[in-house]
Amino acid sequence: MIGHTLNVRLDVWRAQRATDGAGGQTVTRGKVGTVRARISQPRAGEQVEADQAGARHDTWIYLLPRADVRRGDELRPAGAAAGSRPYWRVMSTVRPSAPVYLRAAAEHIEQEA
């Protein structure tokens, strides 16, 4: 297991849809949980492979295999407020054939000047 290498706590924020009363929907993000993680940078070859597949990502985030993290989720430092930056937007997730970890390819979003 990779549990001993997971040295960061991240809150998981997910899009939640609600009817707006006028036939449409509003989308807000709500915190759905907190996970333990390890954040690492992809190797150059992995970045090229992602670029070829059209899936931009800056960071690999490793989680426990049972973590409820999905494509489109935002991962924020534990305790950070909604809308705070920096955060990571999950571009895709991969579970190996043996359930040892969940790996998320994520884009790092920084505060703009």
Side-chain angles (χ1 to χ4, degrees), residues 33-72:
T34 302
V35 294
R36 291 175 43 216
R38 178 172 64 92
I39 301 168
S40 63
Q41 302 300 315
R43 296 184 313 252
E46 293 169 328
Q47 187 65 48
V48 168
E49 182 180 329
D51 289 342
Q52 290 173 345
R56 180 186 179 317
H57 79 280
D58 304 311
T59 307
W60 288 120
I61 299 178
Y62 291 87
L63 309 137
L64 290 173
R66 66 182 178 278
D68 183 17
V69 173
R70 305 173 190 170
R71 182 176 184 261

Side-chain angles (χ1 to χ4, degrees), residues 7-58:
N7 58 358
V8 177
R9 294 182 60 80
L10 300 172
D11 290 337
V12 180
W13 292 76
R14 186 167 294 147
Q16 300 172 341
R17 291 168 173 63
T19 58
D20 63 6
Q25 293 185 341
T26 59
V27 179
T28 59
R29 290 207 173 261
K31 181 180 165 187
V32 296
T34 302
V35 294
R36 291 175 43 216
R38 178 172 64 92
I39 301 168
S40 63
Q41 302 300 315
R43 296 184 313 252
E46 293 169 328
Q47 187 65 48
V48 168
E49 182 180 329
D51 289 342
Q52 290 173 345
R56 180 186 179 317
H57 79 280
D58 304 311

